[in-house]
Amino acid sequence: MFGNKPKPAPKSKSTKIDTLIGQNSELHGDVIFSGGLHVDGVIKGNVYAESDSGSILSVSERGLIEGEVRVPNIILNGSVNGDVHAADHIELAENAKVTGNVYYKLIEMVRGAEVNGNLVHRGDKTQDFLPGPNHDTSADKKGDEENS
């Protein structure tokens, strides 16, 4: 009665999902997106989004990405075989498995998550995350070696 104010709804970390790769789908080739991408299926290729776009990638426990990931915000509960670059934030949930290096600005990691590679903190100085099809990755690797 008195003092019983309704509690505000909790703020959700999720964003609107614009693209869905379904559980029974397998995509071959690079994916370039903006907004929200949710993966329940398999992507055999790289996944890119602009570093300043605020885009978010979520991978369910059934999802698998075989390739490099360069997305500002990532919620991973599935598997990635390749390096993961999160310009802003990455959340590694209980079933997350990364076989490759994880480059991050802010990281959350739950018990049970697995990283078979290095965890590398990146400061405010980040590289462009959308290299495009003609991008020369040798310059990125040289920059990574200098930052080590």
Side-chain angles (χ1 to χ4, degrees), residues 1-112:
M1 196 160 147
F2 294 107
N4 289 338
K5 294 180 183 177
K7 294 181 182 178
K11 291 183 181 178
S12 174
K13 286 184 182 180
S14 65
T15 186
K16 178 181 164 191
I17 299 299
D18 299 306
T19 308
L20 171 68
I21 307 295
Q23 180 177 349
N24 297 318
S25 299
E26 185 171 308
L27 185 98
H28 293 260
D30 293 351
V31 176
I32 300 171
F33 76 98
S34 63
L37 169 63
H38 182 76
V39 178
D40 280 332
V42 177
I43 296 176
K44 292 187 177 185
N46 302 318
V47 179
Y48 301 120
E50 296 278 355
S51 62
D52 59 352
S53 66
S55 295
I56 185 167
L57 167 69
S58 62
V59 181
S60 76
E61 61 189 31
R62 296 178 302 265
L64 168 65
I65 298 173
E66 293 183 354
E68 180 182 57
V69 175
R70 290 179 179 260
V71 178
N73 299 290
I74 303 168
I75 299 172
L76 181 63
N77 199 23
S79 299
V80 175
N81 295 330
D83 288 349
V84 177
H85 301 258
D88 294 329
H89 175 259
I90 183 167
E91 180 181 325
L92 299 173
E94 182 178 6
N95 297 309
K97 181 176 180 181
V98 178
T99 304
N101 298 324
V102 176
Y103 300 88
Y104 65 93
K105 185 174 179 181
L106 179 64
I107 188 169
E108 292 180 59
M109 190 170 179
V110 175
R111 180 185 299 175

